Short mmCIF file of all heavy atoms in Angstrom, two decimals:
data_model
loop_
_atom_site.label_atom_id
_atom_site.label_comp_id
_atom_site.label_asym_id
_atom_site.label_seq_id
_atom_site.Cartn_x
_atom_site.Cartn_y
_atom_site.Cartn_z
N VAL F 1408 5.25 52.42 120.38
CA VAL F 1408 5.71 51.92 121.68
C VAL F 1408 4.76 50.82 122.15
O VAL F 1408 3.55 51.01 122.20
CB VAL F 1408 5.75 53.05 122.71
CG1 VAL F 1408 6.14 52.51 124.09
CG2 VAL F 1408 6.73 54.13 122.27
N PRO F 1409 5.28 49.64 122.47
CA PRO F 1409 4.42 48.54 122.92
C PRO F 1409 3.62 48.92 124.16
O PRO F 1409 4.06 49.71 125.00
CB PRO F 1409 5.43 47.42 123.24
CG PRO F 1409 6.62 47.74 122.41
CD PRO F 1409 6.68 49.23 122.37
N ALA F 1410 2.43 48.36 124.26
CA ALA F 1410 1.54 48.69 125.37
C ALA F 1410 2.04 48.12 126.69
O ALA F 1410 1.84 48.71 127.76
CB ALA F 1410 0.13 48.18 125.09
N LYS F 1411 2.71 46.95 126.66
CA LYS F 1411 3.16 46.33 127.90
C LYS F 1411 4.39 45.47 127.63
O LYS F 1411 4.44 44.73 126.65
CB LYS F 1411 2.06 45.48 128.52
CG LYS F 1411 2.38 45.02 129.94
CD LYS F 1411 1.17 44.35 130.58
CE LYS F 1411 1.46 43.94 132.02
NZ LYS F 1411 0.29 43.28 132.66
N LEU F 1412 5.36 45.58 128.52
CA LEU F 1412 6.61 44.82 128.42
C LEU F 1412 6.85 44.02 129.70
O LEU F 1412 6.34 44.36 130.76
CB LEU F 1412 7.80 45.76 128.23
CG LEU F 1412 7.80 46.75 127.08
CD1 LEU F 1412 8.94 47.74 127.24
CD2 LEU F 1412 7.92 46.01 125.75
N ILE F 1413 7.64 42.96 129.57
CA ILE F 1413 8.28 42.37 130.73
C ILE F 1413 9.72 42.84 130.68
O ILE F 1413 10.46 42.51 129.75
CB ILE F 1413 8.24 40.83 130.71
CG1 ILE F 1413 6.79 40.33 130.69
CG2 ILE F 1413 8.97 40.26 131.92
CD1 ILE F 1413 6.68 38.81 130.65
N LYS F 1414 10.11 43.62 131.66
CA LYS F 1414 11.45 44.19 131.67
C LYS F 1414 12.43 43.21 132.30
O LYS F 1414 12.13 42.56 133.31
CB LYS F 1414 11.46 45.52 132.44
CG LYS F 1414 10.66 46.61 131.73
CD LYS F 1414 10.77 47.92 132.47
CE LYS F 1414 10.06 49.04 131.73
NZ LYS F 1414 10.69 49.34 130.43
N VAL F 1415 13.60 43.09 131.69
CA VAL F 1415 14.65 42.22 132.22
C VAL F 1415 15.80 43.07 132.75
O VAL F 1415 15.89 44.27 132.47
CB VAL F 1415 15.16 41.24 131.15
CG1 VAL F 1415 14.02 40.40 130.59
CG2 VAL F 1415 15.89 41.97 130.02
N LYS F 1416 16.65 42.45 133.50
CA LYS F 1416 17.77 43.15 134.12
C LYS F 1416 18.72 43.71 133.07
O LYS F 1416 19.07 43.02 132.11
CB LYS F 1416 18.53 42.20 135.05
CG LYS F 1416 19.63 42.85 135.88
CD LYS F 1416 20.24 41.86 136.85
CE LYS F 1416 21.32 42.51 137.70
NZ LYS F 1416 21.92 41.54 138.66
N ALA F 1417 19.15 44.95 133.26
CA ALA F 1417 20.06 45.61 132.32
C ALA F 1417 21.49 45.46 132.82
O ALA F 1417 22.03 46.33 133.49
CB ALA F 1417 19.70 47.08 132.18
N ASP F 1418 22.11 44.34 132.48
CA ASP F 1418 23.46 44.05 132.97
C ASP F 1418 24.41 43.61 131.86
O ASP F 1418 25.46 43.04 132.12
CB ASP F 1418 23.41 42.97 134.05
CG ASP F 1418 22.88 41.64 133.53
OD1 ASP F 1418 22.39 41.60 132.38
OD2 ASP F 1418 22.96 40.65 134.27
N GLY F 1419 24.03 43.87 130.59
CA GLY F 1419 24.85 43.44 129.47
C GLY F 1419 24.45 42.08 128.92
O GLY F 1419 24.96 41.65 127.89
N ASN F 1420 23.49 41.43 129.59
CA ASN F 1420 23.03 40.11 129.16
C ASN F 1420 21.55 40.11 128.79
O ASN F 1420 20.92 39.06 128.73
CB ASN F 1420 23.26 39.11 130.30
CG ASN F 1420 24.70 39.06 130.76
OD1 ASN F 1420 25.59 38.68 130.01
ND2 ASN F 1420 24.95 39.49 131.99
N CYS F 1421 21.01 41.31 128.51
CA CYS F 1421 19.56 41.44 128.37
C CYS F 1421 18.98 40.60 127.23
O CYS F 1421 17.88 40.05 127.38
CB CYS F 1421 19.17 42.91 128.22
SG CYS F 1421 19.94 43.76 126.84
N LEU F 1422 19.66 40.51 126.09
CA LEU F 1422 19.11 39.72 124.99
C LEU F 1422 18.97 38.26 125.40
O LEU F 1422 17.94 37.63 125.15
CB LEU F 1422 19.98 39.85 123.74
CG LEU F 1422 19.52 39.01 122.54
CD1 LEU F 1422 18.09 39.35 122.14
CD2 LEU F 1422 20.47 39.18 121.36
N PHE F 1423 19.99 37.73 126.05
CA PHE F 1423 19.95 36.33 126.46
C PHE F 1423 18.97 36.12 127.61
O PHE F 1423 18.38 35.05 127.75
CB PHE F 1423 21.36 35.86 126.82
CG PHE F 1423 22.32 36.01 125.69
CD1 PHE F 1423 23.20 37.08 125.64
CD2 PHE F 1423 22.33 35.11 124.63
CE1 PHE F 1423 24.08 37.24 124.57
CE2 PHE F 1423 23.19 35.25 123.56
CZ PHE F 1423 24.07 36.32 123.53
N ARG F 1424 18.79 37.15 128.45
CA ARG F 1424 17.77 37.09 129.49
C ARG F 1424 16.38 37.02 128.85
O ARG F 1424 15.52 36.25 129.30
CB ARG F 1424 17.87 38.31 130.41
CG ARG F 1424 19.05 38.27 131.36
CD ARG F 1424 19.08 39.48 132.29
NE ARG F 1424 20.19 39.39 133.23
CZ ARG F 1424 20.16 38.72 134.37
NH1 ARG F 1424 19.05 38.08 134.72
NH2 ARG F 1424 21.21 38.70 135.17
N CYS F 1425 16.16 37.80 127.79
CA CYS F 1425 14.88 37.74 127.08
C CYS F 1425 14.66 36.37 126.46
O CYS F 1425 13.55 35.81 126.52
CB CYS F 1425 14.83 38.81 126.00
SG CYS F 1425 14.65 40.50 126.61
N MET F 1426 15.69 35.82 125.86
CA MET F 1426 15.59 34.50 125.24
C MET F 1426 15.25 33.44 126.28
O MET F 1426 14.41 32.56 126.06
CB MET F 1426 16.88 34.16 124.52
CG MET F 1426 17.15 35.00 123.29
SD MET F 1426 18.80 34.67 122.59
CE MET F 1426 18.77 35.67 121.11
N SER F 1427 15.93 33.50 127.43
CA SER F 1427 15.64 32.58 128.53
C SER F 1427 14.20 32.75 129.01
O SER F 1427 13.48 31.77 129.25
CB SER F 1427 16.61 32.81 129.68
OG SER F 1427 16.28 32.06 130.81
N LEU F 1428 13.77 34.00 129.12
CA LEU F 1428 12.44 34.30 129.63
C LEU F 1428 11.34 33.77 128.73
O LEU F 1428 10.38 33.14 129.20
CB LEU F 1428 12.30 35.81 129.83
CG LEU F 1428 10.96 36.31 130.37
CD1 LEU F 1428 10.71 35.78 131.76
CD2 LEU F 1428 10.94 37.84 130.38
N VAL F 1429 11.46 34.01 127.43
CA VAL F 1429 10.38 33.59 126.52
C VAL F 1429 10.32 32.07 126.38
O VAL F 1429 9.27 31.52 126.05
CB VAL F 1429 10.51 34.25 125.12
CG1 VAL F 1429 10.37 35.75 125.22
CG2 VAL F 1429 11.83 33.88 124.45
N VAL F 1430 11.43 31.39 126.64
CA VAL F 1430 11.44 29.93 126.55
C VAL F 1430 10.97 29.30 127.87
O VAL F 1430 10.08 28.45 127.89
CB VAL F 1430 12.84 29.40 126.18
CG1 VAL F 1430 12.89 27.87 126.31
CG2 VAL F 1430 13.19 29.81 124.76
N THR F 1431 11.56 29.71 128.99
CA THR F 1431 11.31 29.03 130.26
C THR F 1431 10.37 29.77 131.20
O THR F 1431 9.88 29.19 132.16
CB THR F 1431 12.63 28.82 131.02
OG1 THR F 1431 13.14 30.08 131.48
CG2 THR F 1431 13.67 28.16 130.13
N GLY F 1432 10.16 31.06 130.95
CA GLY F 1432 9.40 31.87 131.89
C GLY F 1432 10.26 32.50 132.96
O GLY F 1432 9.75 33.11 133.90
N SER F 1433 11.58 32.37 132.83
CA SER F 1433 12.51 32.91 133.82
C SER F 1433 13.76 33.42 133.12
O SER F 1433 14.23 32.82 132.15
CB SER F 1433 12.89 31.84 134.84
OG SER F 1433 13.96 32.27 135.66
N GLU F 1434 14.35 34.50 133.66
CA GLU F 1434 15.63 35.01 133.16
C GLU F 1434 16.81 34.17 133.62
O GLU F 1434 17.92 34.33 133.13
CB GLU F 1434 15.87 36.43 133.67
CG GLU F 1434 14.88 37.48 133.25
CD GLU F 1434 15.21 38.82 133.89
OE1 GLU F 1434 16.42 39.17 133.98
OE2 GLU F 1434 14.28 39.52 134.32
N ALA F 1435 16.58 33.30 134.57
CA ALA F 1435 17.67 32.65 135.30
C ALA F 1435 18.62 31.86 134.41
O ALA F 1435 19.79 31.67 134.76
CB ALA F 1435 17.10 31.74 136.38
N TRP F 1436 18.14 31.41 133.26
CA TRP F 1436 18.96 30.55 132.40
C TRP F 1436 19.69 31.33 131.32
O TRP F 1436 20.10 30.77 130.31
CB TRP F 1436 18.07 29.48 131.77
CG TRP F 1436 17.47 28.55 132.77
CD1 TRP F 1436 16.20 28.58 133.27
CD2 TRP F 1436 18.12 27.45 133.40
NE1 TRP F 1436 16.02 27.58 134.18
CE2 TRP F 1436 17.19 26.86 134.28
CE3 TRP F 1436 19.41 26.91 133.31
CZ2 TRP F 1436 17.49 25.75 135.07
CZ3 TRP F 1436 19.71 25.80 134.09
CH2 TRP F 1436 18.77 25.24 134.96
N HIS F 1437 19.88 32.64 131.51
CA HIS F 1437 20.47 33.45 130.45
C HIS F 1437 21.89 33.01 130.10
O HIS F 1437 22.29 33.01 128.93
CB HIS F 1437 20.45 34.93 130.82
CG HIS F 1437 21.35 35.31 131.95
ND1 HIS F 1437 22.66 35.70 131.76
CD2 HIS F 1437 21.13 35.36 133.29
CE1 HIS F 1437 23.20 35.98 132.93
NE2 HIS F 1437 22.31 35.78 133.88
N ALA F 1438 22.70 32.63 131.09
CA ALA F 1438 24.08 32.21 130.81
C ALA F 1438 24.09 30.91 130.01
O ALA F 1438 24.88 30.75 129.07
CB ALA F 1438 24.86 32.05 132.10
N ARG F 1439 23.21 29.99 130.37
CA ARG F 1439 23.11 28.72 129.64
C ARG F 1439 22.59 28.97 128.22
O ARG F 1439 23.08 28.36 127.26
CB ARG F 1439 22.18 27.77 130.39
CG ARG F 1439 21.94 26.45 129.69
CD ARG F 1439 23.21 25.68 129.46
NE ARG F 1439 22.97 24.43 128.73
CZ ARG F 1439 23.87 23.82 127.97
NH1 ARG F 1439 25.09 24.34 127.83
NH2 ARG F 1439 23.58 22.71 127.36
N MET F 1440 21.63 29.88 128.08
CA MET F 1440 21.11 30.20 126.75
C MET F 1440 22.21 30.80 125.89
O MET F 1440 22.33 30.49 124.69
CB MET F 1440 19.94 31.18 126.87
CG MET F 1440 19.30 31.54 125.54
SD MET F 1440 18.52 30.13 124.70
CE MET F 1440 17.03 29.98 125.71
N ARG F 1441 23.04 31.65 126.47
CA ARG F 1441 24.17 32.23 125.74
C ARG F 1441 25.09 31.13 125.21
O ARG F 1441 25.50 31.15 124.05
CB ARG F 1441 24.93 33.18 126.65
CG ARG F 1441 26.12 33.85 126.01
CD ARG F 1441 26.94 34.60 127.05
NE ARG F 1441 26.32 35.85 127.47
CZ ARG F 1441 26.57 37.03 126.92
NH1 ARG F 1441 27.42 37.13 125.91
NH2 ARG F 1441 25.98 38.13 127.38
N THR F 1442 25.39 30.16 126.07
CA THR F 1442 26.26 29.05 125.66
C THR F 1442 25.64 28.24 124.54
O THR F 1442 26.31 27.86 123.57
CB THR F 1442 26.54 28.14 126.87
OG1 THR F 1442 27.22 28.88 127.88
CG2 THR F 1442 27.39 26.94 126.46
N ILE F 1443 24.34 27.96 124.67
CA ILE F 1443 23.63 27.18 123.64
C ILE F 1443 23.67 27.90 122.30
O ILE F 1443 23.92 27.28 121.25
CB ILE F 1443 22.18 26.93 124.09
CG1 ILE F 1443 22.14 25.97 125.29
CG2 ILE F 1443 21.35 26.36 122.93
CD1 ILE F 1443 20.77 25.85 125.94
N ILE F 1444 23.43 29.20 122.31
CA ILE F 1444 23.45 29.98 121.07
C ILE F 1444 24.85 29.97 120.46
O ILE F 1444 25.03 29.79 119.24
CB ILE F 1444 23.01 31.43 121.33
CG1 ILE F 1444 21.54 31.49 121.73
CG2 ILE F 1444 23.27 32.32 120.12
CD1 ILE F 1444 20.58 31.15 120.63
N CYS F 1445 25.88 30.14 121.29
CA CYS F 1445 27.26 30.15 120.80
C CYS F 1445 27.62 28.82 120.15
O CYS F 1445 28.24 28.78 119.08
CB CYS F 1445 28.22 30.48 121.93
SG CYS F 1445 28.22 32.21 122.43
N GLU F 1446 27.24 27.72 120.79
CA GLU F 1446 27.54 26.40 120.23
C GLU F 1446 26.79 26.18 118.92
O GLU F 1446 27.33 25.60 117.97
CB GLU F 1446 27.18 25.31 121.24
CG GLU F 1446 28.09 25.27 122.45
CD GLU F 1446 29.55 25.06 122.07
OE1 GLU F 1446 29.82 24.24 121.18
OE2 GLU F 1446 30.42 25.74 122.66
N PHE F 1447 25.55 26.65 118.86
CA PHE F 1447 24.78 26.51 117.63
C PHE F 1447 25.43 27.28 116.50
O PHE F 1447 25.52 26.79 115.36
CB PHE F 1447 23.34 26.99 117.86
CG PHE F 1447 22.48 26.89 116.63
CD1 PHE F 1447 21.91 25.69 116.26
CD2 PHE F 1447 22.25 28.00 115.83
CE1 PHE F 1447 21.12 25.58 115.13
CE2 PHE F 1447 21.47 27.92 114.69
CZ PHE F 1447 20.91 26.70 114.34
N MET F 1448 25.89 28.49 116.77
CA MET F 1448 26.54 29.30 115.73
C MET F 1448 27.78 28.60 115.20
O MET F 1448 28.03 28.58 113.99
CB MET F 1448 26.88 30.68 116.28
CG MET F 1448 25.68 31.58 116.48
SD MET F 1448 26.10 33.34 116.74
CE MET F 1448 26.87 33.28 118.35
N LEU F 1449 28.56 28.02 116.07
CA LEU F 1449 29.77 27.32 115.62
C LEU F 1449 29.45 26.10 114.78
O LEU F 1449 30.12 25.81 113.78
CB LEU F 1449 30.61 26.90 116.83
CG LEU F 1449 31.42 27.99 117.53
CD1 LEU F 1449 32.11 27.41 118.76
CD2 LEU F 1449 32.45 28.60 116.59
N GLN F 1450 28.42 25.36 115.15
CA GLN F 1450 28.14 24.07 114.52
C GLN F 1450 27.24 24.16 113.29
O GLN F 1450 27.31 23.31 112.41
CB GLN F 1450 27.51 23.13 115.55
CG GLN F 1450 28.42 22.79 116.72
CD GLN F 1450 27.73 21.97 117.78
OE1 GLN F 1450 26.72 21.31 117.52
NE2 GLN F 1450 28.26 21.99 118.99
N HIS F 1451 26.38 25.21 113.24
CA HIS F 1451 25.34 25.19 112.21
C HIS F 1451 25.22 26.48 111.39
O HIS F 1451 24.38 26.53 110.48
CB HIS F 1451 23.98 24.91 112.85
CG HIS F 1451 23.91 23.61 113.59
ND1 HIS F 1451 23.87 22.39 112.96
CD2 HIS F 1451 23.92 23.37 114.93
CE1 HIS F 1451 23.83 21.43 113.86
NE2 HIS F 1451 23.86 21.99 115.07
N CYS F 1452 25.99 27.51 111.69
CA CYS F 1452 25.75 28.81 111.05
C CYS F 1452 26.87 29.28 110.13
O CYS F 1452 26.77 30.38 109.57
CB CYS F 1452 25.50 29.87 112.12
SG CYS F 1452 24.06 29.53 113.15
N SER F 1453 27.90 28.50 109.95
CA SER F 1453 29.04 28.96 109.17
C SER F 1453 28.70 29.24 107.71
O SER F 1453 29.39 30.00 107.03
CB SER F 1453 30.19 27.95 109.26
OG SER F 1453 29.77 26.69 108.75
#
């Protein structure tokens, strides 16, 4: 078990909240991060 966590909101968007947090320092961009990831998957991951 990790010694210390930054907990994010548990609303079904937690992974994208974590991604937003580690990049910007804020969860606020989780919806935009979700969109960015989706577009990347379509364009570069097939």
Side-chain angles (χ1 to χ4, degrees):
V1408 177
K1411 191 172 182 180
L1412 304 170
I1413 300 179
K1414 293 184 176 295
V1415 303
K1416 187 175 181 180
D1418 63 351
N1420 304 295
C1421 58
L1422 178 57
F1423 302 100
R1424 286 182 177 276
C1425 288
M1426 292 173 175
S1427 173
L1428 180 63
V1429 296
V1430 171
T1431 70
S1433 170
E1434 298 177 40
W1436 296 100
H1437 69 90
R1439 177 60 182 153
M1440 182 64 76
R1441 181 189 284 267
T1442 298
I1443 292 170
I1444 293 291
C1445 286
E1446 290 302 319
F1447 179 81
M1448 288 194 291
L1449 284 176
Q1450 297 175 21
H1451 302 287
C1452 298
S1453 60

